[in-house]
Amino acid sequence: MVYQVYPRSFADSDGDGIGDLRGVLGKLDYLAALGIDVLWLSPFFPSPQDDNGYDVSDYQDVDPTFGTLADLDELLRRAHDHGIRVILDLVVNHTSDEHPWFVESRSSTTSPKRDWYWWRPARDGRPPNNWQSAFSGSAWELDEASGEYFLHLFSRRQPDLNWENPEVRQAIYSMMNWWLDRGVDGFRMDVINLISKVPGLPDGPLIAGGPLGDPWDGVVCGPRIHEFLQEMHRSVFAGRASTLLNVGEMPGVTVEEAVLFTDPARAQVDMVFQFEHVTMGPDKWGGTPASFSALKASIGRWQVGLAEIGWNSLYLSNHDQPRPVSRFGSDDPRWRVASACALATVVHLHRGTPYVYQGDEIGMTNAPFGSIEDYRDIESLNHFAHAVGVGQAPDDVLEILRGVSRDNARTPMQWSADPHAGFTTGSPWLAVNPNYVEVNAEAAMADPDSVWHHYRRLIALRHSEPVVALGDFTMLLPDHPTVYTFTRRLDDVVLTVVANLSSSPVDLDLTVGGEPLFVTGGPGADPAHLEPWEARVHRAG
Ligand code: GLC
């Protein structure tokens, strides 16, 4: 399994209020005790931090806020000593506007690097097309000096690289090789399926209620995406150790495309990180969340779709998503532990590679922020300004942010009941969730019934039981409104997972064979009766 660290919020070793690599080093024993196989580090590269490091101004160094290259080398070495592989976040759909490539590109229309980015003249005095950026407003920014616009699918400080240009691709592959030679074990590639744009950059369909269009059809899995990823594979991964891991973050990818991306015979990526199950419903900022059975149907479809060829990533959260306990479970103190355990059981027993985002293993919850000043995330701040600007009541927008803001995942890791949850001796860059007094790693590790110990057992089970890694998947009771149940089968071993993902008890018409391996959230006497958030795993054979 893969454990994701968002360095800014994990552990601060020097008291500046921002987590750093030496902070991660200090927690390697903790990660080893949990049993992790792979550590994914979110960006720590030099960056103006417009999008918390997803705006990189130098791909081959460490930002002084996070430490030094020597710290990273030490982290690699010590992680390897623990048998933990380390993968880096590779953000190459765009750079920072402070990256020397962009500085050079912007310097003149005849710069040799002009074509490394997407520069276009105005169209009738307006941006070159109608695309909206993922962080509100137009996806084009006017450069006054040249009178041309550059494309940025994310913030205006994250100009998109032009992958059509072979020099861009070679520069990126050589940077990736430099990291692999240094000892990193692979990459999680940020929004990698957006790198091939549809020629002509056609307008997208208008987004309801505004003048801008949706860029999706012009950028998601564009015409050359497979060619680019195969070329990358040949240039970077071919001939190296087969233990390297290459994960593509791919918003909007379909099951059919994911099969093509992850088919080993096509040599592109090992896994995709898809979003269907966490983006169901009309739009991030409003509307009714998808029904429970739609969520199950989505995950089930991906299990079936990648059963023969390809491989799934399994997750409910990361640094861009709200906390699973608050979103899919219950953060009511009565149910927090049971629901966190039930969700973990369901995720970890599917076929694929589970991802644990820091803090989920202790059941951390969404942030109870009361004012826009509490937020730091550019997406949330831009959305608030936009929504209030078009007339929405600030309190209504805040209510939405409390449910979906990315800052929910980014509050500092809760290590102990010490001030600032033991995250820093200084003043944290984003407020600590006040529930740290009860919800913290130290307390969880001391309690055998905690969420932490349940994660540890689930991770150990995957290591010891081949059926967890390799078994077939069959969804049971697909239409049940609150129960998530499925089997995994390998030869004559069958695991049955049954989880009541609701705060009401439920009686089931289901025969569950074998002996219980785990029961959480209930006395576990009767598999046909589940307490609120009770989850069980039975093993037969
Ligand atoms: C990915 C990252 C997100 C970032 C965006 C732009 O979705 O996970 O945090 O803002 O790409 O780099």
Side-chain angles (χ1 to χ4, degrees):
M1 52 76 65
V2 180
Y3 185 95
Q4 183 191 356
V5 160
Y6 193 68
R8 169 173 276 277
S9 302
F10 192 61
D12 174 21
S13 71
D14 60 5
D16 67 355
I18 300 176
D20 45 47
L21 294 180
R22 297 214 74 79
V24 183
L25 263 164
K27 300 296 181 186
L28 273 181
D29 289 345
Y30 169 86
L31 297 174
L34 190 59
I36 76 165
D37 302 305
V38 178
L39 172 61
W40 153 21
L41 291 171
S42 277
F44 50 73
F45 314 102
S47 161
Q49 303 291 324
D50 189 51
D51 185 21
N52 287 0
Y54 283 89
D55 48 319
V56 179
S57 55
D58 180 351
Y59 288 113
Q60 295 179 213
D61 205 346
V62 174
D63 193 289
T65 311
F66 297 116
T68 63
L69 268 177
D71 294 334
L72 183 74
D73 289 341
E74 186 177 341
L75 180 55
L76 292 175
R77 213 169 38 246
R78 297 219 353 238
H80 291 163
D81 289 346
H82 280 288
I84 296 171
R85 286 183 277 156
V86 180
I87 65 172
L88 305 190
D89 220 306
L90 187 84
V91 191
V92 290
N93 172 68
H94 43 266
T95 66
S96 159
D97 63 349
E98 292 186 20
H99 194 292
W101 296 344
F102 186 73
V103 173
E104 165 68 39
S105 179
R106 176 180 234 167
S107 67
S108 106
T109 52
T110 56
S111 152
K113 289 215 166 39
R114 188 66 169 181
D115 188 44
W116 281 42
Y117 293 84
W118 294 90
W119 291 98
R120 291 289 182 276
R123 185 178 60 172
D124 307 327
R126 287 179 297 118
N129 73 15
N130 72 356
W131 291 356
Q132 177 170 298
S133 124
F135 294 160
S136 306
S138 170
W140 294 93
E141 181 73 2
L142 177 64
D143 173 55
E144 300 280 353
S146 65
E148 289 189 339
Y149 288 81
F150 65 85
L151 176 67
H152 61 89
L153 293 178
F154 294 89
S155 104
R156 59 172 53 109
R157 305 211 49 199
Q158 292 168 299
D160 279 53
L161 279 164
N162 177 15
W163 278 68
E164 300 295 320
N165 184 331
E167 287 176 21
V168 169
R169 306 203 297 274
Q170 290 311 322
I172 289 167
Y173 306 152
S174 103
M175 172 269 285
M176 294 171 77
N177 275 308
W178 183 85
W179 279 115
L180 294 181
D181 291 344
R182 206 172 182 99
V184 311
D185 301 291
F187 303 96
R188 171 270 188 188
M189 302 195 292
D190 192 67
V191 291
I192 200 69
N193 65 328
L194 308 188
I195 57 178
S196 165
K197 276 77 171 166
V198 168
L201 311 180
D203 277 346
L206 282 182
I207 297 168
L212 295 173
D214 187 341
W216 226 225
D217 295 344
V219 299
V220 170
C221 298
R224 300 184 68 189
I225 184 66
H226 293 285
E227 175 198 334
F228 291 162
L229 291 180
Q230 283 173 338
E231 180 186 75
M232 174 193 285
H233 198 278
R234 281 196 306 276
S235 311
V236 178
F237 295 97
R240 289 186 183 265
S242 61
T243 48
L244 294 181
L245 184 62
N246 187 18
V247 185
E249 190 212 20
M250 299 199 181
V253 69
T254 62
V255 183
E256 293 72 27
E257 286 158 341
V259 174
L260 298 178
F261 283 120
T262 61
D263 177 353
R266 294 171 50 91
Q268 297 187 37
V269 296
D270 298 309
M271 279 178 257
V272 303
F273 214 82
Q274 59 92 11
F275 289 87
E276 190 178 289
H277 64 297
V278 289
T279 46
M280 298 180 80
D283 126 19
K284 170 159 188 164
W285 307 112
T288 344
S291 70
F292 178 68
S293 39
L295 177 80
K296 270 200 304 192
S298 167
I299 298 177
R301 197 164 52 247
W302 280 81
Q303 288 285 299
V304 171
L306 274 69
E308 305 295 330
I309 298 171
W311 195 248
N312 268 295
S313 303
L314 309 170
Y315 76 100
L316 291 178
S317 76
N318 58 36
H319 64 291
D320 296 329
Q321 303 288 331
R323 289 287 180 182
V325 172
S326 301
R327 182 181 195 177
F328 301 108
S330 168
D331 53 19
D332 179 325
R334 268 181 309 169
W335 308 125
R336 186 187 64 83
V337 170
S339 72
C341 291
L343 292 170
T345 301
V346 167
V347 170
H348 282 246
L349 270 294
H350 277 84
R351 182 181 160 93
T353 297
Y355 286 67
V356 177
Y357 176 68
Q358 64 184 42
D360 285 348
E361 78 279 17
I362 54 168
M364 281 177 61
T365 65
N366 279 354
F369 292 154
S371 131
I372 192 63
E373 278 73 49
D374 295 329
Y375 288 90
R376 298 286 175 272
D377 173 30
I378 183 168
E379 183 194 48
S380 299
L381 297 175
N382 285 4
H383 176 72
F384 184 86
H386 166 78
V388 171
V390 297
Q392 288 185 37
D395 282 348
D396 293 349
V397 185
L398 281 173
E399 182 60 29
I400 290 169
L401 289 185
R402 272 192 290 275
V404 301
S405 169
R406 305 195 298 180
D407 279 340
N408 284 310
R410 300 176 181 185
T411 60
M413 176 72 187
Q414 294 165 205
W415 292 108
S416 69
D418 294 341
H420 304 310
F423 162 72
T424 181
T425 53
S427 172
W429 70 277
L430 179 69
V432 173
N433 191 316
N435 67 10
Y436 74 90
V437 182
E438 290 85 40
V439 182
N440 63 66
E442 195 174 285
M445 290 172 83
D447 171 4
D449 296 325
S450 68
V451 182
W452 193 85
H453 281 286
H454 188 56
Y455 268 86
R456 189 181 56 69
R457 287 182 207 113
L458 287 169
I459 294 167
L461 184 71
R462 179 168 285 267
H463 291 149
S464 64
E465 273 282 4
V467 63
V468 179
L470 303 172
D472 291 348
F473 171 93
T474 307
M475 186 75 85
L476 305 175
L477 307 182
D479 299 320
H480 197 288
T482 58
V483 170
Y484 201 128
T485 171
F486 55 92
T487 57
R488 303 289 311 283
R489 180 188 300 269
L490 183 69
D491 302 325
D492 47 9
V493 177
V494 180
L495 293 185
T496 308
V497 178
V498 194
N500 175 11
L501 300 187
S502 81
S503 301
S504 310
V506 64
D507 289 302
L508 286 180
D509 188 10
L510 181 75
T511 313
V512 182
E515 292 303 309
L517 287 179
F518 297 128
V519 181
T520 56
D526 176 6
H529 174 85
L530 297 174
E531 292 298 320
W533 302 105
E534 180 174 336
R536 41 201 311 148
V537 181
H538 285 232
R539 183 186 195 281

